[in-house]
Amino acid sequence: MTINTAPLISTVSSQFVADWLDALRPHFANEHFLSLLKRADLQLDQSHPHGRVTLDQIVGLYQLAAIETGDEMMALWSRPIRPRALQHLLTSVREATSLASALYRFSTFWNLLLDDYQFALIETEAELVLRLMPQADQTAQRFGHMLILKLAHGLLSWLARHEVPVKGVSFAFDRPAFEEDYSVIFPSPVLFNQPTTSISFSLKIILFFTIR
């Protein structure tokens, strides 16, 4: 018997996206919400603990929900992120002369828009760390924290035209039952129950990649 494990590479558990769906649901009438899921080819029975969701389905739902909520971060943060904001982010980081300066532009952009968190960019002799600092005591929105870190990593890789290696990722929430899903998104060590959410890169690697 041949066991095909390929689908696991491009899928995550339905539990992984449950926080996101919970944030989305109050913004739609029930029929509209069900329509979103159907158009993204997501089935309600995928809320079963053993259900799987493809990354393509996540992207499809994002594209629909960002438009239909009028919030490009889809209710994951306290303040809605208005349409075309991410286009301005792309314009800003594209003008950067290095990956380090692109990450700085990323942090300052979000610091203008987020109320509940602020980014700090910390450089040491060995690494560059993008840290998400809470502005008050609050419960971390797990999907939101993951998504904004992945956006930072994706933008750096887009600028470098190669996937930029991640040194490590930390999250300011308890280790979930579906912890292995985070390794699908971030091919790096992932820590939970940390003081803050952050993503780190080797400074040597950051300096190696150039923006073309």
Side-chain angles (χ1 to χ4, degrees):
M1 179 184 294
T2 300
I3 300 175
N4 183 7
T5 59
L8 294 178
I9 298 174
S10 58
T11 68
V12 294
S13 70
S14 56
Q15 294 171 298
F16 183 76
V17 299
D19 296 335
W20 177 24
L21 296 181
D22 288 344
L24 274 178
R25 190 183 294 270
H27 293 266
F28 299 99
N30 189 57
E31 288 187 3
H32 192 170
F33 180 74
L34 295 178
S35 171
L36 273 178
L37 298 185
K38 183 176 181 180
R39 284 178 281 152
D41 198 27
L42 280 166
Q43 303 299 320
L44 281 179
D45 60 9
Q46 285 180 313
S47 63
H48 187 277
H50 300 295
R52 304 298 297 179
V53 177
T54 70
L55 299 185
D56 284 344
Q57 287 173 315
I58 292 175
V59 170
L61 182 58
Y62 171 84
Q63 292 172 335
L64 292 169
I67 293 172
E68 296 181 30
T69 58
D71 178 357
E72 292 197 325
M73 292 299 276
M74 305 154 305
L76 295 171
W77 305 96
S78 61
R79 180 193 293 189
I81 305 303
R82 294 182 178 179
R84 301 177 66 86
L86 296 187
Q87 182 177 334
H88 288 286
L89 174 60
L90 287 175
T91 300
S92 176
V93 299
R94 192 164 48 197
E95 296 301 316
T97 56
S98 68
L99 294 187
S101 65
L103 207 54
Y104 175 76
R105 286 169 180 252
F106 180 93
S107 67
T108 56
F109 174 88
W110 285 110
N111 287 347
L112 292 173
L113 297 183
L114 297 179
D115 292 331
D116 35 0
Y117 287 87
Q118 290 283 278
F119 273 115
L121 186 61
I122 302 163
E123 182 178 329
T124 69
E125 292 183 357
E127 63 183 10
L128 193 61
V129 182
L130 183 66
R131 184 166 292 156
L132 192 58
M133 309 292 293
Q135 298 304 289
D137 291 337
Q138 53 197 299
T139 301
Q141 215 292 346
R142 293 183 297 193
F143 196 87
H145 280 218
M146 177 283 301
L147 183 62
I148 204 164
L149 292 192
K150 188 57 186 176
L151 180 59
H153 178 227
L155 283 176
L156 290 190
S157 299
W158 173 66
L159 289 170
R161 298 188 181 181
H162 293 280
E163 183 171 0
V164 176
V166 177
K167 185 175 182 180
V169 175
S170 297
F171 289 108
F173 48 80
D174 292 340
R175 185 184 306 275
F178 47 91
E179 62 176 292
E180 67 277 2
D181 290 326
Y182 290 87
S183 296
V184 175
I185 306 299
F186 299 102
S188 71
V190 179
L191 299 176
F192 298 94
N193 198 26
Q194 299 301 299
T196 57
T197 289
S198 65
I199 185 169
S200 62
F201 304 90
S202 164
L203 189 59
K204 183 178 180 180
I205 289 176
I206 285 291
L207 296 176
F208 172 78
F209 283 100
T210 58
I211 296 177
R212 301 178 184 180

